[in-house]
Amino acid sequence: MKKLIIANWKMNGSLRLLDEIAAATQGQFFANAEAVVCTPAPYLHALGQHKSFTPKTGAQNCASTANGAHTGEISAAMLAEFGVSYCLIGHSERRQSQLETNAMIGGKLQQLKDHSIIPVLCIGETQAERDHATWCAVLGEQLAILANQNPTPIVIAYEPIWAIGTGRIPTPDDIYEALAFIRTCVTTMGYPAGYLRILYGGSANAENAARLLSLASVDGLLVGGASLNPSQFAQIVANAG
Ligand code: G2H
Protein backbone atom coordinates (compact mmCIF):
# COMPACT_ATOMS: atom_id res chain seq x y z
CA MET A 1 0.00 0.00 0.00
CA LYS A 2 1.23 3.52 -0.81
CA LYS A 3 2.44 5.60 2.13
CA LEU A 4 0.07 8.45 2.94
CA ILE A 5 1.51 11.91 3.65
CA ILE A 6 -0.97 14.47 4.95
CA ALA A 7 -0.05 18.14 5.38
CA ASN A 8 -1.88 19.97 8.16
CA TRP A 9 -1.45 23.68 7.57
CA LYS A 10 -3.38 24.49 10.76
CA MET A 11 -4.34 28.22 10.69
CA ASN A 12 -1.50 29.12 8.33
CA GLY A 13 -0.89 29.53 4.63
CA SER A 14 -1.93 31.69 1.73
CA LEU A 15 -2.88 31.45 -1.94
CA ARG A 16 0.78 31.98 -2.67
CA LEU A 17 1.75 28.95 -0.57
CA LEU A 18 -0.71 26.84 -2.60
CA ASP A 19 1.16 27.86 -5.77
CA GLU A 20 4.53 27.14 -4.15
CA ILE A 21 3.47 23.68 -2.95
CA ALA A 22 1.98 22.95 -6.39
CA ALA A 23 5.28 23.88 -8.04
CA ALA A 24 7.38 21.90 -5.54
CA THR A 25 5.35 18.69 -5.88
CA GLN A 26 4.30 18.92 -9.52
CA GLY A 27 4.21 15.68 -11.46
CA GLN A 28 6.64 13.79 -9.28
CA PHE A 29 6.80 11.28 -6.48
CA PHE A 30 3.23 10.13 -6.65
CA ALA A 31 3.81 6.63 -7.96
CA ASN A 32 4.62 5.41 -4.49
CA ALA A 33 3.01 7.91 -2.16
CA GLU A 34 -0.39 9.51 -1.71
CA ALA A 35 -0.20 13.16 -0.69
CA VAL A 36 -2.98 15.27 0.79
CA VAL A 37 -2.94 18.93 1.81
CA CYS A 38 -5.40 20.02 4.53
CA THR A 39 -5.77 23.77 4.19
CA PRO A 40 -7.95 26.18 6.16
CA ALA A 41 -11.47 26.09 4.69
CA PRO A 42 -11.24 29.40 2.74
CA TYR A 43 -8.54 27.88 0.50
CA LEU A 44 -10.44 24.70 -0.41
CA HIS A 45 -12.01 26.17 -3.51
CA ALA A 46 -8.69 27.44 -4.87
CA LEU A 47 -7.06 24.10 -4.06
CA GLY A 48 -9.75 22.14 -5.90
CA GLN A 49 -9.57 24.45 -8.94
CA HIS A 50 -5.78 24.69 -9.07
CA LYS A 51 -4.51 23.58 -12.47
CA SER A 52 -1.26 22.03 -11.33
CA PHE A 53 -1.91 20.93 -7.75
CA THR A 54 -1.20 17.19 -7.53
CA PRO A 55 -1.89 16.39 -3.84
CA LYS A 56 -5.49 15.60 -2.89
CA THR A 57 -7.73 18.10 -1.15
CA GLY A 58 -8.11 17.78 2.62
CA ALA A 59 -9.96 19.72 5.31
CA GLN A 60 -9.09 20.26 8.96
CA ASN A 61 -12.52 20.04 10.56
CA CYS A 62 -16.24 19.66 9.89
CA ALA A 63 -19.46 20.14 11.81
CA SER A 64 -20.82 17.30 13.90
CA THR A 65 -24.30 17.77 12.44
CA ALA A 66 -25.93 18.08 9.03
CA ASN A 67 -26.72 21.48 7.42
CA GLY A 68 -28.86 23.73 9.58
CA ALA A 69 -28.86 26.73 11.91
CA HIS A 70 -25.24 26.45 13.11
CA THR A 71 -23.60 29.82 12.44
CA GLY A 72 -19.94 29.58 11.53
CA GLU A 73 -19.90 25.82 11.03
CA ILE A 74 -18.94 23.99 7.81
CA SER A 75 -20.71 20.73 7.01
CA ALA A 76 -19.33 17.55 5.51
CA ALA A 77 -21.85 17.99 2.66
CA MET A 78 -20.17 21.32 1.80
CA LEU A 79 -16.69 19.81 2.00
CA ALA A 80 -17.78 17.06 -0.38
CA GLU A 81 -18.96 19.68 -2.89
CA PHE A 82 -15.46 21.14 -2.87
CA GLY A 83 -13.83 17.81 -3.68
CA VAL A 84 -12.48 17.11 -0.19
CA SER A 85 -11.24 13.51 0.04
CA TYR A 86 -9.94 13.48 3.63
CA CYS A 87 -10.84 15.48 6.74
CA LEU A 88 -9.03 15.67 10.06
CA ILE A 89 -11.16 15.22 13.17
CA GLY A 90 -10.21 15.22 16.83
CA HIS A 91 -6.92 17.06 16.51
CA SER A 92 -5.57 17.69 20.01
CA GLU A 93 -5.48 21.45 19.35
CA ARG A 94 -9.27 21.35 18.82
CA ARG A 95 -9.84 18.98 21.74
CA GLN A 96 -7.94 21.44 23.97
CA SER A 97 -8.82 24.91 22.67
CA GLN A 98 -12.33 24.24 21.28
CA LEU A 99 -13.17 21.75 24.05
CA GLU A 100 -14.19 19.09 21.56
CA THR A 101 -15.38 15.91 23.25
CA ASN A 102 -15.27 12.35 21.96
CA ALA A 103 -19.07 12.58 21.51
CA MET A 104 -18.72 15.65 19.27
CA ILE A 105 -15.94 13.98 17.31
CA GLY A 106 -18.20 10.92 16.91
CA GLY A 107 -20.80 13.19 15.26
CA LYS A 108 -18.16 14.52 12.85
CA LEU A 109 -17.11 10.96 12.05
CA GLN A 110 -20.68 10.06 11.13
CA GLN A 111 -21.09 13.16 8.95
CA LEU A 112 -17.91 12.38 7.02
CA LYS A 113 -18.93 8.77 6.51
CA ASP A 114 -22.33 9.92 5.25
CA HIS A 115 -20.59 12.01 2.59
CA SER A 116 -17.89 9.52 1.60
CA ILE A 117 -15.01 11.63 2.96
CA ILE A 118 -12.29 9.56 4.63
CA PRO A 119 -11.95 10.61 8.30
CA VAL A 120 -8.47 11.14 9.71
CA LEU A 121 -9.07 10.60 13.41
CA CYS A 122 -6.29 12.22 15.46
CA ILE A 123 -5.56 10.68 18.84
CA GLY A 124 -2.75 11.02 21.36
CA GLU A 125 -1.81 11.25 24.99
CA THR A 126 -0.31 14.04 27.09
CA GLN A 127 3.13 13.82 28.66
CA ALA A 128 1.53 13.14 32.07
CA GLU A 129 -0.58 10.32 30.64
CA ARG A 130 2.53 8.75 29.14
CA ASP A 131 4.48 9.19 32.39
CA HIS A 132 1.69 7.54 34.37
CA ALA A 133 1.30 4.73 31.83
CA THR A 134 -2.36 5.59 31.23
CA TRP A 135 -1.81 6.23 27.51
CA CYS A 136 -3.51 2.94 26.51
CA ALA A 137 -6.69 3.90 28.36
CA VAL A 138 -6.66 7.38 26.82
CA LEU A 139 -6.15 6.11 23.26
CA GLY A 140 -8.80 3.43 23.86
CA GLU A 141 -11.34 6.10 24.89
CA GLN A 142 -10.53 8.22 21.84
CA LEU A 143 -10.92 5.18 19.56
CA ALA A 144 -14.19 4.08 21.16
CA ILE A 145 -16.21 6.27 18.75
CA LEU A 146 -15.35 3.73 16.04
CA ALA A 147 -17.19 0.93 17.85
CA ASN A 148 -20.60 -0.31 16.68
CA GLN A 149 -20.19 1.35 13.29
CA ASN A 150 -20.54 -0.01 9.81
CA PRO A 151 -16.79 -0.09 9.00
CA THR A 152 -15.60 2.22 6.22
CA PRO A 153 -12.01 3.23 5.32
CA ILE A 154 -10.43 5.17 8.16
CA VAL A 155 -7.09 6.83 8.88
CA ILE A 156 -5.88 7.10 12.47
CA ALA A 157 -3.17 9.68 13.18
CA TYR A 158 -1.25 8.88 16.36
CA GLU A 159 0.03 12.24 17.59
CA PRO A 160 1.45 12.23 21.12
CA ILE A 161 0.58 15.72 22.38
CA TRP A 162 4.05 16.15 23.86
CA ALA A 163 5.59 15.63 20.40
CA ILE A 164 3.51 18.25 18.57
CA GLY A 165 5.60 21.20 17.44
CA THR A 166 8.24 20.43 20.10
CA GLY A 167 10.91 18.66 18.06
CA ARG A 168 10.60 15.65 20.42
CA ILE A 169 9.90 12.32 18.74
CA PRO A 170 8.97 9.07 20.53
CA THR A 171 11.41 6.17 20.28
CA PRO A 172 10.78 3.60 17.52
CA ASP A 173 9.76 1.12 20.25
CA ASP A 174 7.21 3.55 21.67
CA ILE A 175 5.76 4.23 18.21
CA TYR A 176 5.63 0.51 17.47
CA GLU A 177 3.86 -0.21 20.78
CA ALA A 178 1.29 2.58 20.34
CA LEU A 179 0.52 1.68 16.72
CA ALA A 180 0.21 -2.02 17.56
CA PHE A 181 -2.25 -1.12 20.33
CA ILE A 182 -4.27 1.07 17.93
CA ARG A 183 -4.30 -1.60 15.20
CA THR A 184 -5.52 -4.24 17.65
CA CYS A 185 -8.26 -1.98 19.04
CA VAL A 186 -9.60 -1.00 15.62
CA THR A 187 -9.47 -4.44 14.02
CA THR A 188 -11.14 -5.90 17.13
CA MET A 189 -14.01 -3.50 16.44
CA GLY A 190 -14.52 -5.24 13.09
CA TYR A 191 -12.56 -2.98 10.72
CA PRO A 192 -10.86 -5.08 8.02
CA ALA A 193 -7.08 -4.54 7.99
CA GLY A 194 -7.36 -3.10 4.46
CA TYR A 195 -9.64 -0.29 5.70
CA LEU A 196 -7.16 0.96 8.28
CA ARG A 197 -4.13 3.17 7.84
CA ILE A 198 -2.21 4.50 10.83
CA LEU A 199 -0.07 7.63 10.55
CA TYR A 200 2.48 9.08 12.94
CA GLY A 201 2.29 12.82 13.64
CA GLY A 202 4.30 15.20 15.82
CA SER A 203 7.43 17.10 14.74
CA ALA A 204 7.81 15.06 11.54
CA ASN A 205 10.09 16.86 9.09
CA ALA A 206 12.35 16.32 6.10
CA GLU A 207 15.19 15.17 8.35
CA ASN A 208 13.35 12.46 10.25
CA ALA A 209 10.70 11.42 7.67
CA ALA A 210 12.70 8.61 6.07
CA ARG A 211 13.46 7.10 9.48
CA LEU A 212 9.84 7.35 10.63
CA LEU A 213 8.50 5.95 7.36
CA SER A 214 10.90 3.01 7.53
CA LEU A 215 9.12 1.74 10.68
CA ALA A 216 7.06 -1.19 9.43
CA SER A 217 3.87 -0.23 11.27
CA VAL A 218 3.84 3.41 10.07
CA ASP A 219 1.55 3.81 7.05
CA GLY A 220 2.40 7.49 6.62
CA LEU A 221 2.82 10.85 8.34
CA LEU A 222 0.70 13.80 9.42
CA VAL A 223 2.96 16.82 9.03
CA GLY A 224 2.30 20.23 10.55
CA GLY A 225 5.01 22.88 10.66
CA ALA A 226 7.25 21.26 8.04
CA SER A 227 4.39 21.14 5.53
CA LEU A 228 4.47 24.94 5.30
CA ASN A 229 7.90 24.75 3.69
CA PRO A 230 7.38 23.66 0.04
CA SER A 231 10.76 22.02 -0.43
CA GLN A 232 10.57 20.20 2.91
CA PHE A 233 7.08 18.94 2.13
CA ALA A 234 8.17 17.77 -1.33
CA GLN A 235 11.15 16.00 0.22
CA ILE A 236 8.93 14.23 2.78
CA VAL A 237 6.67 13.00 -0.02
CA ALA A 238 9.76 11.88 -1.95
CA ASN A 239 10.97 9.96 1.09
CA ALA A 240 7.68 8.10 1.14
CA GLY A 241 8.15 6.79 -2.38
C1 G2H B 1 0.82 17.68 14.99
C2 G2H B 1 1.51 17.95 13.72
C3 G2H B 1 0.55 17.92 12.56
P1 G2H B 1 3.74 19.34 13.87
O1 G2H B 1 -0.15 18.67 15.27
O2 G2H B 1 -0.77 17.66 12.87
O3 G2H B 1 2.12 19.21 13.83
O4 G2H B 1 4.25 18.51 12.74
O5 G2H B 1 4.00 20.81 13.69
O6 G2H B 1 4.20 18.81 15.20
Side-chain angles (χ1 to χ4, degrees):
M1 195 185 285
K2 287 182 180 184
K3 297 280 188 185
L4 176 61
I5 306 296
I6 302 185
N8 175 13
W9 281 13
K10 309 190 180 185
M11 198 175 75
N12 295 295
S14 60
L15 290 172
R16 182 174 165 179
L17 183 62
L18 270 185
D19 288 338
E20 291 172 351
I21 299 273
T25 56
Q26 197 170 11
Q28 50 186 338
F29 316 135
F30 292 93
N32 299 311
E34 184 178 357
V36 179
V37 175
C38 297
T39 67
Y43 298 126
L44 290 174
H45 181 64
L47 206 173
Q49 298 296 309
H50 204 288
K51 288 193 173 48
S52 55
F53 203 88
T54 323
K56 293 182 178 163
T57 303
Q60 296 177 15
N61 182 35
C62 75
S64 56
T65 60
N67 287 357
H70 304 291
T71 302
E73 291 290 297
I74 296 172
S75 70
M78 296 168 188
L79 297 180
E81 277 204 298
F82 282 87
V84 167
S85 318
Y86 291 85
C87 180
L88 308 182
I89 51 173
H91 194 283
S92 60
E93 287 157 9
R94 294 196 61 83
R95 291 180 192 264
Q96 289 179 335
S97 66
Q98 308 300 316
L99 306 180
E100 286 191 358
T101 62
N102 287 321
M104 292 158 74
I105 297 161
K108 294 166 192 267
L109 176 79
Q110 189 58 54
Q111 289 300 314
L112 293 174
K113 286 166 66 120
D114 288 350
H115 294 89
S116 303
I117 296 172
I118 299 177
V120 181
L121 173 61
C122 303
I123 63 172
E125 80 283 357
T126 63
Q127 180 70 66
E129 288 158 352
R130 175 141 292 267
D131 292 345
H132 294 106
T134 55
W135 61 269
C136 278
V138 172
L139 299 188
E141 270 172 37
Q142 294 171 339
L143 289 169
I145 61 170
L146 299 176
N148 307 316
Q149 297 260 337
N150 177 28
T152 53
I154 180 93
V155 179
I156 310 291
Y158 171 59
E159 300 202 304
I161 294 169
W162 49 272
I164 294 177
T166 60
R168 294 172 56 210
I169 300 267
T171 65
D173 284 351
D174 286 345
I175 294 176
Y176 179 83
E177 190 180 26
L179 269 52
F181 174 79
I182 293 166
R183 207 172 290 279
T184 301
C185 280
V186 179
T187 51
T188 303
M189 289 176 199
Y191 282 72
Y195 277 15
L196 173 64
R197 282 174 293 176
I198 310 181
L199 312 185
Y200 168 77
S203 296
N205 59 34
E207 253 177 52
N208 58 32
R211 182 163 46 86
L212 290 166
L213 289 164
S214 72
L215 302 175
S217 53
V218 172
D219 296 323
L221 299 174
L222 181 55
V223 185
S227 74
L228 299 171
N229 178 315
S231 60
Q232 269 216 53
F233 182 61
Q235 200 180 326
I236 293 168
V237 178
N239 280 328

